[in-house]
Amino acid sequence: MKKRTFLTAAALSAAALAAAPAMAQDNTFKIGLILPMTGQQATTGRQIEAAARLYMAQNGDTVAGKKIQLIVKDDTSLPDTTRRLAQELVVNDKVNVLAGFGITPSALATAPIATQSKTPMVVMAAATSSITQASPYIVRTSFTLPQVSVALADWAPKNGIKTVVTLVSDYGPGIDAEKFFKDRLTFNGGQVTDALRVPLRNPDFAPFLQKVRDNKPDALFVFVPSGAGAAVMKQFLERGLDKAGIRLIATGDVTDDDQLNDMGDGALGVVTSHHYSAAHPSAMNKKFVEAFSKANKGLRPNFMAVGGYDGMRVIYEALKTSKGQGGGDALLAAMKGQLFESPRGKIFIDAQTRDIVQDVYLRKVEKKDGQLYNVEFDVIKDVKDPGKAK
Ligand code: DHB
């Protein structure tokens, strides 16, 4: 019997992955963009795909003599599907870069494929701190929950908030937000009086909000992923938590620009911390918001869109710097250390951690020209992911 027969399926697929990049050779440069285009996280996919296409429309589809081909795949936010699609994109389509990743489990499921095939993997959405440690081929253009949560825990006690109940989605980013918010608030002399976790899939916030009402903290701190914020806001108001004197504070995932304008005046005054607001007052952002909206029937870009737009920038520049030569390692090297102006402000890909360093803003929901926006009122410059400060 030939030796090959004894190879397990896993070893076979590992061999296929390792061989894949060497075979990729023609004048196209392929980006495999895996996103949740349907299901609970569909707005993330819609925003990122639209932003990637906008970047290409503005910057052309030929870079360093290569024609850029974007291959979009819908993983419906199921990590097993993400992994299968990534494997197919690497082995069959011979993509040069993997990108997207709407939720943390999808990014973590794909990390070993990036490592084995030496394919750079640009995480444009998922935001658990540890993701960049799952593969040396991962580069992140989104954010991390520790990065954005700490600013709010500094702001709260200076603004009359001493006791807080935390309410987070029960998975990676939520657990990061809960821990880093609590540690910092406690350090600042405040107190987390209860820590509640809701399921990621089909969450029912009502029973948790009732517990918060009974607990009567000064504020409720919330993290839920993009797309779930409007439901939290609605039930917070319906249960009369605001009338009971409980303030709502959150990461900007809750007052998501994709949904904010439909949340109604009940959202006015909610203070959040985050890395991007469609109302960010820079010339570059004004142009970005206008162009995005024009290309997408009036849709307002959210923080997912900016992660996708900047991710495309990182890929384009890496291709330019490596002059279209070399494989995944050359591309990866050229992604590390990129420093540029994004619609969110100045950003930097830390060469050591491959994670994003960026400004974090405190914002308040206000009405401007009849529309609800997250209006920035303070900034913490150049914030590294505190989840990695060891
Ligand atoms: C993640 C997903 C989100 O939609 C978000 O707003 C933050 C984090 C995640 O799964 O990592």
Side-chain angles (χ1 to χ4, degrees), residues 209 212 220 222 231-243 246-249 266:
L209 292 173
V212 178
L220 169 65
V222 180
V232 173
M233 187 71 73
K234 183 162 178 277
Q235 294 193 27
F236 182 88
L237 298 171
E238 273 176 13
R239 307 227 136 222
L241 272 73
D242 56 332
K243 297 206 179 61
I246 301 167
R247 291 190 67 176
L248 177 61
I249 57 175

Side-chain angles (χ1 to χ4, degrees), residues 165 167 196-199 204-213:
V165 171
L167 174 67
L196 308 173
R197 295 179 182 178
V198 297
D204 176 10
F205 299 109
F208 295 96
L209 292 173
Q210 191 55 48
K211 274 189 93 172
V212 178
R213 216 196 140 129

Side-chain angles (χ1 to χ4, degrees), residues 237-290:
L237 298 171
E238 273 176 13
R239 307 227 136 222
L241 272 73
D242 56 332
K243 297 206 179 61
I246 301 167
R247 291 190 67 176
L248 177 61
I249 57 175
T251 64
D253 310 74
V254 175
T255 55
D256 187 342
D257 273 305
D258 191 76
Q259 297 185 319
L260 177 60
N261 206 28
D262 298 323
M263 288 185 195
D265 288 355
L268 285 168
V270 172
V271 171
T272 58
S273 54
H274 228 209
H275 55 292
Y276 178 67
S277 164
H280 179 63
S282 72
M284 185 181 194
N285 186 50
K286 286 203 179 92
K287 270 175 65 185
F288 171 68
V289 173
E290 241 173 65

